Structure formats: structure tokens, C-alpha cells
Amino acid sequence: MIRKFHVLYVGQIELDNIGLNGTPANERRYSDERLREAFFTARDVARLMDELGFDVLWTAEHHFQREGYEVFPNLIQLGLWLATQTKRLKFGCAFNVLPMWHPIRLAEDYAMADVVTDGRIIMGVGRGYHTREVETFGAPLLDAAKNRELFEEQLRLLLACFNEQSFHFKGKYYECPPPVDYRGYQLKDITMVPRPKHLPVEIWMPIASGKTIELMAQYGLKAMVTLNGEKILDDVVRAYHAACQKRGQNKQLGEDMIWGAGVYLADSREEAIRRLEPAHDERFKWFAPFGFVRYADEQGRTWGSPGAPARTPSLRDGVAQKAWFCGPPAEVIDGIKSVEAKYPGLDSFMIHWAEGLPPAEFKEQLRWFAKDVMPAFKRA
């Protein structure tokens, strides 16, 4: 039963000349002054969400994006600042890209944030998908197997930092601590200081593949899925549930998952589609080349696979597959509840801010959603 409401803001600035026939994504360039705008947009949205009773604002870690789509390089630092601007809202990391971090440094930063905000920062980890980012930081991404191997070792080290009072970790990529002399004795173990106040640490990860799902179940990670067509969403939810069950984790279907979709409220579905379509199309101009078109055709074939559609998706495709909900509040409520009914353990719904939608317009959407949609669901 859905009772928590989240928002995903990946960190775009207010983009100009949006839509399929607007400025090509690779040609966008913005000044330092414009790129800084996203931080203050995050502050304004966080304050509004706090006032309206939302639960979590999630943001995304990215680097070098002069194009203006995702400009937050440090989510824990951002969350710390936003926590000083709000009273109760939590801030999720979607996601700290582990291959671009030393795991102990990330664990320390998170633990400090957990202590000083009293648990208002939520940990999330990912493997990365931008070669420009990950490879520039000296980590593998083009070699997917090596990226997965590095990520898993980093995750094990991160968990040791959180869960063990003292530890010695030795893997292929890291030995912590190394066997060195220290103050007259040979170092054999270390303790992370500080450790998080709230244990065990809740760690979230996006579901990207079957191998990812098995790893998540193995290490007890929670799952986020967003903007998936209804068929792919169902496959993912059931695969995650089965993987957890196999490892003795007795969860309800949909438990420990956040489901995200796009939302636009208007007096009619057609009006909502007309207003949202340029922003939707701008999003896919940027994200489609990375493989983020997670729809399926009537036979359940994933979009882009042999026999299934290979074109860039339209907003109408997304609405038909319940990746986007457009129209009056009553229709949006019915759409969300139609998915909620399938998964008894699902308690969190996340609004994905379409990257081309201006901040002022999105804030109006949040006000309307809080007023006319959220009351239809039992709140925590």
C-alpha cells in the first residue's frame, strides 16, 4: 500500500528550446552561472516538498555535464546543505557512483551526514553509465565485467565500514589497512570513525539487469525502478522478489522497492500530454542513447530488441504503458492505484521530474499533486 511520496530531480537547469526539434543535446552549452542554478532550484523544491508533506527528494551524481541535464557532483554534500534548509524532508542519493569513489571516503562522508542530520540522508549506490564520467575518474565502464567486479568489491568494503567495529579487508583492488608500521606496532585492522548513527544502513540501488538483481539480493540492497513500461516493471518486481526469496528474505511482492513514474496533472489527458510532450521528448533526446527506453511491445519484447519498436518513444507510448500518468487527479489516482494493487508490499511512489519541465511549472505540479492526489492514499 503506497503511503510515502518521493521526487527524483536529477539536477537539470532550466533548459531552453526544448523538444525533438529543439537544440540537439550534444550542442547544449551553458555558462558557470547558469549551471549553478540547479543548486538553488533544489533548495526551493526541497522547501516546498517539506511544506507539502512529501517524504524524500532524490538527486543524481554526475560530472562534466556542460549540457545542463545533470549537474550535481556530490549528493551527500548537497543533502547536508538541503537538510539545513528544511525541517523533516529526507534526501536520497540516486546514486553515488561507487567506481568514482574510494569506498572508505564515501562511507565516512555518509556516516558524518547521518550523524549531523539525524538520519535524513539516504544512501544509494550505482555502477555508472556515462563513459565520460567513469573512465575519466580512472575506473572501468567500457569493460562491463571489470566494472561489475570492481563495484562488488567496493560494495563489500563499504559494508565492512558500516557493519564492523574494526576490520581488515583484502581484495583484488583494495587492502585496508595495508600491513604497515604505526606508532610502534604493525597495523592489522582499522575502525571507521565516525560510524553511522542509524544501523543497519539502508542502501538503495537502481535495477539495471538480472545480474544486478542477484547482487542486490545477495547484499541486502533495496531497489528503485523508474519510468519502466508496465510489463518491464512487473518483470523487474517479480525478479527482485524471487531473488530475495531465494536468499531467505521473506518479503511481500514490491517490498523494499521504490516505483517511479512521470506525472502531469491537467483538466484533461490531452491537455496534459500537450503541455508535457516537449519536456518528455527533451528527456529522451538525452537519455535514449544510453539505453534508457524501458518499454515493451504487446508481446512483451523489450523496446529496441529484435522485432520490437526501435524508435524513440513518444509520451503517448509512455502513457499507454503506465510509465507516465497524465490528466485530471482522479485519472492519475486510478492509474497509480492500478499498479499499486498488483504489489502488496509496495509502499513508495516517486514522481520523476521530466528534465525539460521548467522549475516553476514543476512546483505547481507538486502543489496540485499534494492537494488532490496524495490524500487518496493512506499516509505513513
Side-chain angles (χ1 to χ4, degrees):
M1 180 179 294
I2 291 174
R3 56 190 180 88
K4 298 177 184 176
F5 290 92
H6 307 235
V7 166
L8 176 61
Y9 171 39
V10 298
Q12 72 272 15
I13 68 169
E14 185 167 357
L15 301 165
D16 55 347
N17 194 26
I18 64 171
L20 286 181
N21 297 318
T23 304
N26 288 343
E27 294 179 14
R28 290 193 178 277
R29 296 290 185 276
Y30 292 97
S31 67
D32 290 340
E33 183 178 9
R34 288 295 321 279
L35 294 170
R36 296 182 192 118
E37 290 175 6
F39 295 96
F40 303 101
T41 296
R43 177 199 61 193
D44 295 345
V45 169
R47 288 173 174 172
L48 180 63
M49 290 175 62
D50 205 38
E51 172 190 326
L52 295 174
F54 284 86
D55 296 281
V56 185
L57 172 61
W58 294 83
T59 53
E61 178 192 347
H62 290 289
H63 304 265
F64 316 124
Q65 287 202 22
R66 58 195 179 189
E67 299 87 359
Y69 291 98
E70 303 161 302
V71 303
F72 297 144
N74 189 311
L75 306 183
I76 294 173
Q77 195 173 49
L78 177 65
L80 273 170
W81 176 58
L82 294 178
T84 70
Q85 306 296 305
T86 51
K87 295 179 179 178
R88 43 158 295 280
L89 189 69
K90 291 188 176 184
F91 300 96
C93 303
F95 297 87
N96 299 302
V97 181
L98 261 183
M100 295 191 288
W101 286 82
H102 191 294
I104 296 178
R105 175 67 73 187
L106 178 61
E108 288 176 335
D109 286 2
Y110 171 78
M112 179 177 169
D114 181 63
V115 171
V116 301
T117 68
D118 196 22
R120 290 174 61 194
I121 308 299
I122 301 174
M123 172 59 76
V125 296
R127 290 170 45 200
Y129 64 91
H130 287 268
T131 53
R132 180 172 62 183
E133 296 178 350
V134 179
E135 296 280 346
T136 297
F137 274 85
L141 185 60
L142 292 169
D143 186 334
K146 191 172 181 180
N147 172 271
R148 186 179 296 110
E149 178 185 64
L150 173 62
F151 173 84
E152 184 170 359
E153 182 170 316
Q154 291 178 311
L155 178 61
R156 289 192 288 110
L157 178 51
L158 187 77
L159 291 170
C161 290
F162 290 154
N163 298 330
E164 299 179 28
Q165 285 284 356
S166 61
F167 64 89
H168 175 262
F169 181 96
K170 187 171 185 179
K172 179 177 178 179
Y173 298 96
Y174 299 92
E175 182 173 11
C176 306
V180 297
D181 289 336
Y182 179 73
R183 294 179 57 82
Y185 67 93
Q186 189 170 64
L187 199 58
K188 294 183 179 179
D189 58 38
I190 49 173
T191 297
M192 190 181 82
V193 178
R195 294 177 67 222
K197 177 181 177 181
H198 301 87
L199 293 170
V201 174
E202 183 179 282
I203 303 178
W204 294 81
M205 188 174 174
I207 291 183
S209 67
K211 290 181 179 178
T212 299
I213 291 172
E214 291 298 326
L215 181 145
M216 292 168 70
Q218 178 182 350
Y219 292 102
L221 307 188
K222 301 185 178 186
M224 181 184 289
V225 290
T226 181
L227 294 185
N228 284 269
E230 191 174 17
K231 173 65 170 65
I232 295 175
L233 173 66
D234 191 64
D235 291 345
V236 165
V237 173
R238 294 182 185 281
Y240 176 75
H241 180 258
C244 291
Q245 292 285 99
K246 187 170 66 176
R247 294 186 175 273
Q249 302 168 31
N250 189 24
K251 300 179 182 182
Q252 289 187 302
L253 193 63
E255 186 176 346
D256 287 339
M257 302 189 79
I258 296 170
W259 162 50
V263 172
Y264 197 95
L265 297 166
D267 291 335
S268 70
R269 178 179 292 188
E270 285 304 311
E271 181 187 357
I273 289 174
R274 177 178 60 81
R275 289 178 176 271
L276 179 60
E277 195 164 38
H280 167 278
D281 292 349
E282 184 66 35
R283 167 186 165 73
F284 281 102
K285 274 167 52 180
W286 177 247
F287 284 99
F290 299 115
F292 291 159
V293 183
R294 295 181 175 136
Y295 298 166
D297 68 5
E298 294 80 359
Q299 286 74 46
R301 296 173 297 194
T302 303
W303 207 285
S305 63
R311 59 181 171 81
T312 299
S314 70
L315 177 55
R316 292 182 187 278
D317 295 321
V319 170
Q321 298 203 22
K322 298 185 180 179
W324 301 80
F325 297 98
C326 293
E331 287 188 20
V332 171
I333 291 167
D334 288 345
I336 294 172
K337 287 192 170 184
S338 72
V339 176
E340 174 196 41
K342 298 179 180 180
Y343 311 117
L346 183 66
D347 70 354
S348 293
F349 176 75
M350 182 175 69
I351 300 172
H352 190 119
W353 180 351
E355 281 73 5
L357 200 67
E361 191 172 354
F362 183 70
K363 286 186 282 188
E364 284 305 310
Q365 286 287 310
L366 289 182
R367 291 186 183 96
W368 196 355
F369 188 91
K371 177 178 175 288
D372 288 346
V373 177
M374 281 164 52
F377 297 84
K378 184 177 179 181
R379 303 291 277 124

